[in-house]
């Protein structure tokens, strides 16, 4: 599975946030943008960046297509999500994760060996936390090394969970979840590199 990956930096300079967006077809491109004398935080999205289920059914695209289909037929967004979520979860429990790039596990390990804090931020719900850890373990990826805390749970509009280096945002805005997470740990990196599709 090969696809284009989009990643961007956020520089935290006093109260100003200056994003730079860089497109690449290889995750290893990030290496060029790490400055070791500054505090950096590298964040990977999970689905369609690290890996994906090897079928259309169960992908993020399928999930949002089904939610839109149900809202078009008259359900509220929340009702549509509640209607699609059990099928999505069932699929995630029965299909393994396939890597998008075969070298991603090695690359994540190299970042961790260099003591660069490296976490995962996903829209998956905290209900899928243990299964997500199993899926990542199945492809040789762990975010435990150098993670910032063991487990933290908090609530924005919906519950969020940070477990074993993975931040599960659920239906919340990922940016809001990340900022709340960083504030709760009193972390202010000089640079955040977020790898997303």
């Amino acid at each position: 599975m090969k696809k284009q990956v989009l990643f961007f930096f956020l520089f935290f300079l006093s109260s100003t946030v200056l994003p730079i967006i860089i497109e690449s077809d290889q995750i290893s491109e990030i290496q060029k943008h790490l400055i070791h004398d500054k505090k950096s935080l590298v964040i990977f999205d999970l689905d369609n960046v690290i890996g994906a289920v090897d079928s259309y059914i169960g992908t993020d695209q399928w999930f949002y297509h089904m939610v839109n289909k149900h809202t078009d037929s008259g359900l509220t967004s929340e009702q549509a999500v509640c209607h699609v979520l059990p099928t999505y979860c069932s699929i995630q429990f029965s299909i393994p994760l396939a890597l998008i790039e075969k070298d991603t596990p090695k690359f994540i390990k190299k970042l961790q060996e260099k003591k660069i804090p490296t976490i995962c931020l996903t829209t998956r719900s905290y209900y899928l936390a243990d299964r997500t850890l199993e899926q990542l373990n199945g492809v040789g990826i762990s975010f435990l090394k150098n993670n910032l805390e063991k487990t933290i749970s908090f609530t924005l509009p919906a519950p969020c969970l940070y477990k074993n280096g993975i931040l599960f945002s659920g239906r919340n805005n990922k940016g809001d979840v990340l900022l709340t997470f960083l504030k709760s740990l009193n972390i202010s990196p000089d640079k955040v590199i977020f790898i997303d599709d």
Side-chain angles (χ1 to χ4, degrees), residues 142-183:
S142 170
F143 286 96
L144 266 173
K145 192 173 181 181
N146 298 326
N147 76 338
L148 305 171
E149 285 284 329
K150 295 288 185 232
T151 303
I152 300 170
S153 59
F154 54 96
T155 301
L156 291 170
C160 305
L161 175 70
Y162 178 76
K163 182 175 182 178
N164 294 352
I166 303 172
L167 188 52
F168 297 89
S169 66
R171 295 187 321 242
N172 299 295
N173 174 284
K174 277 184 175 179
D176 294 341
V177 170
L178 179 59
L179 289 175
T180 301
F181 171 72
L182 294 175
K183 284 179 188 173

Side-chain angles (χ1 to χ4, degrees), residues 31-197:
Q31 190 64 43
K32 297 177 187 175
H33 305 282
L34 287 170
I35 299 172
H36 300 294
D37 61 341
K38 293 191 173 193
K39 296 186 303 180
S40 296
L41 173 64
V42 178
I43 304 170
F44 286 86
D45 180 34
L46 173 57
D47 293 301
N48 301 317
V49 172
I50 291 176
V53 292
D54 203 9
S55 82
Y56 175 67
I57 297 174
T59 62
D60 284 356
Q61 294 83 354
W62 173 85
F63 180 82
Y64 292 113
H65 168 77
M66 294 303 293
V67 167
N68 290 336
K69 187 175 172 182
H70 288 298
T71 55
D72 290 347
S73 68
L75 295 180
T76 67
S77 292
E78 188 156 331
Q79 289 171 329
V81 167
C82 289
H83 190 75
V84 177
L85 201 53
T87 305
Y88 175 79
C89 289
S90 175
I91 292 164
Q92 291 299 325
F93 275 91
S94 61
I95 299 177
L97 198 66
L99 288 171
I100 302 295
E101 290 186 42
K102 67 180 176 69
D103 291 333
T104 300
K106 243 187 263 183
F107 182 69
I108 291 171
K109 282 179 188 169
K110 281 183 187 175
L111 293 175
Q112 293 169 336
E113 286 167 3
K114 292 179 180 179
K115 306 286 188 216
I116 298 169
T118 306
I119 67 171
C120 181
L121 172 58
T122 179
T123 57
R124 290 185 180 197
S125 168
Y126 71 95
Y127 296 119
L128 286 171
D130 290 336
R131 176 56 182 158
T132 299
L133 292 167
E134 287 174 10
Q135 286 178 313
L136 287 169
N137 187 50
V139 294
I141 294 176
S142 170
F143 286 96
L144 266 173
K145 192 173 181 181
N146 298 326
N147 76 338
L148 305 171
E149 285 284 329
K150 295 288 185 232
T151 303
I152 300 170
S153 59
F154 54 96
T155 301
L156 291 170
C160 305
L161 175 70
Y162 178 76
K163 182 175 182 178
N164 294 352
I166 303 172
L167 188 52
F168 297 89
S169 66
R171 295 187 321 242
N172 299 295
N173 174 284
K174 277 184 175 179
D176 294 341
V177 170
L178 179 59
L179 289 175
T180 301
F181 171 72
L182 294 175
K183 284 179 188 173
S184 73
L185 295 180
N186 198 25
I187 297 170
S188 55
D190 291 334
K191 183 187 286 186
V192 175
I193 301 176
F194 182 51
I195 304 99
D196 204 350
D197 58 312

Side-chain angles (χ1 to χ4, degrees), residues 7 24-33 101 103-104 107:
F7 65 92
S24 176
D25 63 355
Q26 294 184 327
I27 287 177
S28 60
E29 176 77 15
I30 301 158
Q31 190 64 43
K32 297 177 187 175
H33 305 282
E101 290 186 42
D103 291 333
T104 300
F107 182 69

